[in-house]
Amino acid sequence: MENEKAVVVFSGGQDSTTCLYWAIKHFKEVEAVTFNYNQRHRLEIEVAESIARELMIKHTILDMSLLNQLAPNALTRDNIQIEQKDGELPTTFVDGRNLLFLSFAAILAKQSGARHIITGVCETDFSGYPDCRDVFIKSLNVTLNLAMDYQFVIHTPLMWLNKAETWKLADQLGVLDYIRNKTLTCYNGIIADGCGTCPACLLRKKGLDEYLSMKEGIKA
């Protein structure tokens, strides 16, 4: 794969930044694409821009504001509370988001001559988002290939990893401290360790604590 080109779906968060570094390791040429769907925090896009610039990665930002209009959710509306009720998807779920993001990433990839698309979706994530499932990614991969008569491969390096294992991967890539200090995962728009109370921060911290404890145990 080292002699091929890849496009990374990139938000500037922990998962997508880990995937960006994974792609840099595995592909000769890498570029990133970020989607502006009027998310609650403009800072998310600014963080993605900053990381891409620092890594000297070509970075494209695409306007996906129509998604905001069609699918109101807690990531785009201040008046919708971030919560998850039993038996229901969390209010942070955006209908069709990964379907659209990966479809547009594929169009961009074909125009730039890339056959590989990398995304940080994860089936073991706490949310249970249906568009993060392996079966969906495999299905969409086939659909995109047929739709554009082009042989894409969608890579999901984090698909079967929990958050502790995602931190481990970042450490193996030599970027654990970078991921911890430079990325934005927090639903309240606070870089690095975040607010410490929103679901994204709690998941991120729990995974980091588990990984660091495991690492210290191995050293001992």
Side-chain angles (χ1 to χ4, degrees):
M1 292 192 293
E2 289 80 1
N3 63 344
E4 296 194 50
K5 185 174 182 179
V7 172
V8 179
V9 177
F10 186 54
S11 70
Q14 175 192 356
D15 292 346
S16 67
T17 307
T18 301
C19 286
L20 182 60
Y21 273 102
W22 180 89
I24 290 170
K25 178 180 178 180
H26 288 91
F27 295 93
K28 183 177 180 180
E29 186 177 356
V30 174
E31 62 180 84
V33 58
T34 298
F35 298 96
N36 181 357
Y37 57 102
N38 291 340
Q39 48 267 65
R40 185 184 293 193
H41 303 293
R42 166 73 196 183
L43 183 59
E44 179 179 310
I45 296 172
E46 293 173 2
V47 168
E49 286 181 308
S50 176
I51 293 173
R53 185 167 53 249
E54 187 172 340
L55 298 181
M56 295 184 290
I57 297 290
K58 181 181 178 183
H59 185 216
T60 302
I61 300 173
L62 295 181
D63 178 10
M64 298 291 288
S65 53
L66 181 60
L67 185 59
N68 180 304
Q69 178 183 339
L70 291 173
N73 62 89
L75 296 184
T76 60
R77 299 289 195 277
D78 290 331
N79 62 343
I80 299 178
Q81 186 176 353
I82 296 172
E83 61 182 354
Q84 181 171 13
K85 298 178 181 178
D86 290 342
E88 297 182 10
L89 287 168
T91 56
T92 52
F93 175 65
V94 185
D95 282 314
R97 181 170 58 173
N98 285 335
L99 170 64
L100 291 174
F101 284 6
L102 288 166
S103 296
F104 277 86
I107 296 170
L108 177 68
K110 184 178 180 183
Q111 300 307 307
S112 65
R115 292 188 179 274
H116 298 272
I117 303 167
I118 293 91
T119 177
V121 298
C122 173
E123 190 161 318
T124 57
D125 207 343
F126 80 109
S127 58
Y129 291 171
D131 61 355
C132 289
R133 293 177 297 178
D134 186 59
V135 65
F136 162 71
I137 296 298
K138 285 183 167 58
S139 172
L140 182 60
N141 199 154
V142 173
T143 299
L144 291 173
N145 291 2
L146 292 172
M148 287 185 259
D149 194 22
Y150 193 77
Q151 292 302 306
F152 295 107
V153 180
I154 302 177
H155 300 269
T156 54
L158 311 184
M159 179 59 75
W160 307 112
L161 304 185
N162 60 33
K163 271 293 180 284
E165 292 166 333
T166 300
W167 283 112
K168 180 180 179 180
L169 176 59
D171 202 8
Q172 290 171 338
L173 292 167
V175 293
L176 187 145
D177 288 340
Y178 186 95
I179 299 292
R180 181 172 184 179
N181 296 316
K182 298 273 192 171
T183 61
L184 173 60
T185 303
C186 176
Y187 287 150
N188 290 313
I190 301 173
I191 296 173
D193 291 336
C195 69
T197 58
C198 75
C201 285
L202 293 173
L203 181 68
R204 174 174 162 140
K205 184 179 186 303
K206 180 175 180 290
L208 180 59
D209 290 346
E210 286 177 3
Y211 173 62
L212 293 178
S213 295
M214 178 182 67
K215 188 177 179 180
E216 286 301 314
I218 292 173
K219 287 182 180 179

